[in-house]
Every structure is written in structure tokens, then in C-alpha cells.
Amino acid sequence: DTAVSQTPKYLVTQMGNDKSIKCEQNLGHDTMYWYKQDSKKFLKIMFSYNNKELIINETVPNRFSPKSPDKAHLNLHINSLELGDSAVYFCASSQSRQGRYNSPLHFGNGTRLTVT
Amino acid sequence: ILNVEQSPQSLHVQEGDSTNFTCSFPSSNFYALHWYRWETAKSPEALFVMTLNGDEKKKGRISATLNTKEGYSYLYIKGSQPEDSATYLCASDLLMDSSYKLIFGSGTRLLVRP
């Protein structure tokens, strides 16, 4: 009965390929996020959607494209994968967008992407 | 550049010791301060969210305080147990580029020896 689930858990692929990571939350939350854990272990925000509307789009290469078909899903598609894209990607959700109420994040278990 | 910094980076304590970590954040553009506990091979789990200066929150042996004027928060663990071993992340909800964003520190890795 996972609250925030992302698939796959591991993804190994070659440079130049296109891949997707899926995320679903069953908490009824309005806001979903993608975070990237960088080489120094920091969690860096990439995107945030609130009720299917993009509200945060950090300086991320446009090879990364999020898609939110409904407020329970936020998928991440990556085109033309590069070596530097190797990282752990975390999906998360919160009751409401940041800056309103006190909404902690609920995280998925992460997807470890390895580009060879 | 708005940074959230945590110290120490890592900490080894003996079972039964009490310990504390620090999170510092920009005091301007501040909305909320989050603490998360992140065990190995799991995902971060929320411990506390605090917004008001002077806020104190407690969950079992873990408590946290907030000083928004000077931009710091402390996390305390009383009588550490081996199961407290984890990375403790703080994150500050900051207004950046007209939207609020949760900016994470790099964490404090705690190891409690039995």
C-alpha cells in the first residue's frame, strides 16, 4: 500500500537513449515534484506540478520533460541521455504547494539511473 | 544564492548519548523549515515542519527548535538508539523567483554505536 511509488527502481541504459520514469501517489495530494540527488548527495528540485499545472521548472536541460496526466501522476521523460544524467531521481508529493500551509513532502523510493 | 547548510556532516555517538545537529538557512524569504529522517535504502520521511519563530516540536525522543530571526534550527535526539542511525535532512521553504521552493541541506549522517 505504497503512498508514493516510482518505477523502475533501477534503470541502466546507454547514452543517446530516451527513457521514462513513472511516479504515482495515492495520497490525494495536489502537488508533485521531481528531485535529483546530485553527486554531493544534495536533493535538488527539478520540477513541481500543482493540480497538473507546472509551477516550478528549474534550470534543467530541455531533454527532461515532465508530464502530469492527472494530479496523481507525474512522469519524467528524458531524451538523448548523457553520462552526466546518472543520478538518483526522487519523486515526491505534498498536500499543497510550498509556501502554503505546512505541507511535508512524501517521497518515493528513488530511481537509480545509470547511463553508460 | 540561497543555501541551506547543516552541521556536522557526520556524527558518531554511543548508544544512550544525547546529540544535536544544526541547520542554518537564509532568514529572509523564509516560509517554513522541514526536518526529514532518511534511512539507508529507504526514502526520506518527514519529522517536523515548523514556521513560527520560537516553534518547538517533539516526537518521542526527537525534538526541534526554530529561530527564524537568526536563521537556524536545532534537532535534538535524547538517549540515542542504534535505530536512530540515519541521515537527517533539513530543508527550508524559501521564496525564490516568485515561487516557494523547498531547498535541502546536505544532511547530517548519524551513526549510533550499540
Side-chain angles (χ1 to χ4, degrees):
Chain A
D1 191 22
T2 307
V4 180
S5 59
Q6 54 182 109
T7 55
K9 189 171 180 179
Y10 300 98
L11 184 52
V12 181
T13 189
Q14 290 185 325
M15 283 175 57
N17 284 349
D18 303 339
K19 290 291 178 186
S20 292
I21 307 172
K22 294 185 176 181
C23 180
E24 176 182 3
Q25 54 96 2
N26 63 5
L27 297 167
H29 287 171
D30 286 343
T31 310
M32 295 186 74
Y33 310 81
W34 278 108
Y35 276 84
K36 179 181 179 180
Q37 186 181 19
D38 67 16
S39 56
K40 295 184 179 179
K41 306 297 184 186
F42 278 93
L43 285 171
K44 294 279 181 69
I45 181 74
M46 299 174 69
F47 302 103
S48 177
Y49 272 73
N50 186 67
N51 280 318
K52 300 194 300 175
E53 178 191 351
L54 180 66
I55 55 172
I56 294 175
N57 185 351
E58 286 299 280
T59 309
V60 177
N62 57 15
R63 297 181 295 102
F64 289 77
S65 52
K67 284 187 172 51
S68 182
D70 54 62
K71 75 173 193 177
H73 295 84
L74 180 61
N75 304 322
L76 183 65
H77 188 75
I78 315 170
N79 288 329
S80 303
L81 278 154
E82 299 178 358
L83 292 176
D85 297 332
S86 296
V88 183
Y89 294 84
F90 285 92
C91 176
S93 71
S94 63
Q95 181 66 54
S96 61
R97 61 199 297 175
Q98 297 307 306
R100 298 183 185 182
Y101 314 112
N102 300 336
S103 298
L105 266 58
H106 296 251
F107 284 88
N109 285 329
T111 295
R112 183 175 292 276
L113 170 65
T114 303
V115 183
T116 61
Chain B
I1 296 175
L2 300 178
N3 285 332
V4 175
E5 296 181 356
Q6 294 187 243
S7 63
Q9 198 169 31
S10 65
L11 192 54
H12 294 189
V13 301
Q14 207 62 37
E15 181 177 356
D17 287 350
S18 293
T19 188
N20 64 85
F21 333 127
T22 304
C23 173
S24 60
F25 55 88
S27 54
S28 59
N29 303 323
F30 170 85
Y31 181 80
L33 193 285
H34 297 219
W35 280 101
Y36 292 84
R37 181 170 178 272
W38 193 358
E39 291 182 73
T40 304
K42 294 187 177 180
S43 54
E45 291 184 358
L47 288 172
F48 308 113
V49 179
M50 299 180 287
T51 55
L52 299 176
N53 186 45
D55 259 355
E56 291 188 28
K57 296 224 170 168
K58 188 174 180 181
K59 185 183 286 189
R61 294 179 291 99
I62 303 177
S63 60
T65 61
L66 179 65
N67 182 322
T68 61
K69 293 184 178 179
E70 296 180 43
Y72 65 84
S73 174
Y74 294 133
L75 187 80
Y76 300 91
I77 303 179
K78 186 177 177 182
S80 303
Q81 300 296 309
E83 57 265 29
D84 295 330
S85 297
T87 296
Y88 291 83
L89 293 174
C90 79
S92 185
D93 202 357
L94 298 169
L95 181 62
M96 298 170 64
D97 303 323
S98 304
S99 62
Y100 281 92
K101 298 171 187 174
L102 200 57
I103 307 299
F104 281 84
S106 58
T108 292
R109 181 175 293 181
L110 174 67
L111 178 63
V112 182
R113 296 195 194 92

